[in-house]
Amino acid sequence: MTHNRNQMVTLARRPQGKPKREDFLLVEAEIPKPADGEMLIQTLYLSVDPGMRGMMEAPKSYSPGFKVGQPLTGRSVGRVVVSRHADFAVGDFVYERLPWQHYSVSDGRKAKKVDPNVAPLSTYLGVVGVPGFCAYFGLKEIGKPRAGETVVVSGASGAVGMTAVQLAKLESCRVVGIAGGAEKVAYLRDELGLDAVVNYHATDDLRTALGQACPDGIDVYFDNVGGDITQAALSLINHHARIVICGQTSQYNHPSESGKFAPELLIQKSALMQGFVVYDYEDRNDEAVARLGQLIKEGRLQHRENIIEGLENAPQAFIDLFDGKSFGKQLVQLVQTT
Ligand SMILES: NC(=O)c1ccc[n+]([C@@H]2O[C@H](COP(=O)([O-])OP(=O)(O)OC[C@H]3O[C@@H](n4cnc5c(N)ncnc54)[C@H](OP(=O)(O)O)[C@@H]3O)[C@@H](O)[C@H]2O)c1
């Protein structure tokens, strides 16, 4: 163990609108002791996810809400440092949803061993973790892209979006990303080879800009952000379009301002709109890991991480998600692993 005391990030109060530093507190506590059948996990990486914002409200999103005064929880990768559990040994690496703290006790029921020889530990929170699974299952099971179709992905420079655009390219689709800022646009176009990228910060008329990037309309819209971007995309859908609702990041800080949804459009275009939570496909996670891992090995799937160090910086990393400051999978590293 490398610390004498535990440190945790708690929710100090429920954020109003965009989260602020004062909404979070860094608190010290004793390091908990595992009982028989339990283990002590030292967290190495925390995943910083926009969906956590919904959990800071009263519990109405797809996960149970956070409690004021209690630590935030999130997807984490850690190392077993004490074990009184028959199935886990000291030194094992595990993935689990854990409190945002250095040390956590686990009964192992929801812990999954991860192997750094198969994929780098951090990627179990990104491209071979939930964001990768969202892209994989959202496209495969709902978007069902066919060669030659136009696939549009919002939040294309984020962890989910970046994987979704590449998987759609592998299906020989015309792929259009939507992102904010010249650096992200250049990466998506030049590094990932997208057919077009719309910089939504650089236009007052998103519908026209997106229309120019999609001369044949939109067959699959993979939505990570919602709001005006989604309204623009929906206005361009083709007959039998598929609309994959993965996330609504632009709406998380302003839940009452959700964009105007036009169900009549779905009728006019005989289109399918379907939301999902990644846990719908939990029993198929190994399939996704195998496919995504294989593509990475073959050099056909790239990923990008934005790793900052120190638990104390986790609240700011979360706040920055809503300012477009993160680029790729946002992680916090608590301990050096080598
Ligand atoms: N359904 C599920 O089970 C499930 C599971 C995990 C995640 N999700 C959701 O999937 C979405 C993507 O997750 P992620 O892990 O890829 O997140 P991420 O890495 O934070 O990326 C999201 C992207 O959204 C963009 N963005 C942020 N604020 C925006 C705004 N106001 N308007 C437009 N774009 C904005 C940012 O890029 P720009 O700089 O280009 O704005 C960012 O790159 C999130 O909404 C998340 O909650 C769903």
Side-chain angles (χ1 to χ4, degrees):
M1 281 195 267
T2 52
H3 300 86
N4 297 326
R5 302 261 299 157
N6 210 1
Q7 262 191 335
M8 60 186 70
V9 174
T10 64
L11 183 67
R13 61 184 188 191
R14 298 204 183 278
Q16 300 292 315
K18 199 179 146 227
K20 304 176 192 59
R21 283 303 284 259
E22 304 78 61
D23 299 331
F24 308 96
L25 261 186
L26 190 67
V27 175
E28 284 216 349
E30 294 292 318
I31 296 175
K33 291 190 171 50
D36 278 346
E38 294 181 336
M39 59 184 156
L40 186 67
I41 300 172
Q42 180 179 29
T43 296
L44 305 176
Y45 292 99
L46 295 177
S47 173
V48 184
D49 291 295
M52 295 171 69
R53 177 64 184 85
M55 297 169 68
M56 293 171 189
E57 301 285 313
K60 61 186 175 196
S61 69
Y62 48 75
S63 301
F66 297 130
K67 293 193 174 74
V68 172
Q70 294 296 311
L72 306 181
T73 59
R75 292 187 279 272
S76 310
V77 165
R79 175 170 44 203
V80 178
V81 289
V82 178
S83 183
R84 300 180 66 183
H85 193 296
D87 300 334
F88 294 90
V90 170
D92 281 349
F93 294 105
V94 290
Y95 164 89
E96 191 171 353
R97 183 169 201 98
L98 292 172
W100 272 23
Q101 59 191 14
H102 284 282
Y103 296 99
S104 303
V105 164
S106 165
D107 62 12
R109 274 185 296 176
K110 295 197 170 160
K112 193 170 166 24
K113 284 185 201 177
V114 292
D115 185 349
N117 297 313
V118 172
L121 289 173
S122 59
T123 61
Y124 289 99
L125 299 172
V127 66
V128 292
V130 161
F133 301 165
C134 284
Y136 177 80
F137 290 117
L139 268 189
K140 188 177 168 68
E141 300 302 327
I142 303 172
K144 297 183 169 51
R146 292 184 287 264
E149 288 190 326
T150 298
V151 177
V152 172
V153 179
S154 63
S157 70
V160 175
M162 191 176 283
T163 310
V165 292
Q166 294 180 78
L167 294 179
K169 275 305 288 177
L170 289 169
E171 298 298 326
S172 304
C173 296
R174 174 179 168 76
V175 181
V176 177
I178 304 174
E183 189 193 359
K184 293 177 177 180
V185 169
Y187 176 79
L188 291 164
R189 189 190 51 218
D190 304 337
E191 302 287 324
L192 302 189
L194 298 207
D195 298 283
V197 187
V198 173
N199 179 355
Y200 73 96
H201 288 326
T203 176
D204 293 332
D205 184 355
L206 189 59
R207 190 189 180 283
T208 300
L210 193 55
Q212 284 165 354
C214 304
D216 299 326
I218 298 175
D219 299 298
V220 178
Y221 174 53
F222 192 109
D223 188 19
N224 288 307
V225 305
D228 292 343
I229 289 175
T230 295
Q231 293 305 315
L234 290 182
S235 72
L236 294 163
I237 57 171
N238 291 332
H239 265 96
H240 299 295
R242 285 83 68 201
I243 299 141
V244 186
I245 305 293
C246 178
Q248 298 283 285
T249 302
S250 77
Q251 304 300 300
Y252 293 164
N253 292 325
H254 313 282
S256 58
E257 294 172 20
S258 288
K260 299 179 288 302
F261 168 59
E264 62 274 19
L265 249 181
L266 300 183
I267 301 169
Q268 287 161 14
K269 303 288 183 179
S270 302
L272 172 84
M273 177 184 272
Q274 188 179 326
F276 73 105
V277 285
V278 71
Y279 308 114
D280 296 343
Y281 305 101
E282 205 163 16
D283 58 344
R284 290 172 56 193
N285 281 357
D286 290 348
E287 168 194 327
V289 171
R291 173 72 177 148
L292 296 168
Q294 184 64 29
L295 290 172
I296 293 168
K297 268 197 202 120
E298 293 168 2
R300 296 200 289 157
L301 179 62
Q302 297 186 44
H303 67 281
R304 186 177 172 125
E305 298 169 332
N306 194 26
I307 302 182
I308 62 150
E309 289 183 11
L311 180 64
E312 66 281 9
N313 296 316
Q316 191 60 48
F318 176 70
I319 292 165
D320 287 348
L321 288 182
F322 301 97
D323 284 335
K325 288 187 184 156
S326 72
F327 186 175
K329 177 63 214 161
Q330 180 66 57
L331 299 170
V332 178
Q333 185 167 17
L334 273 54
V335 184
Q336 288 298 332
T337 46
T338 50

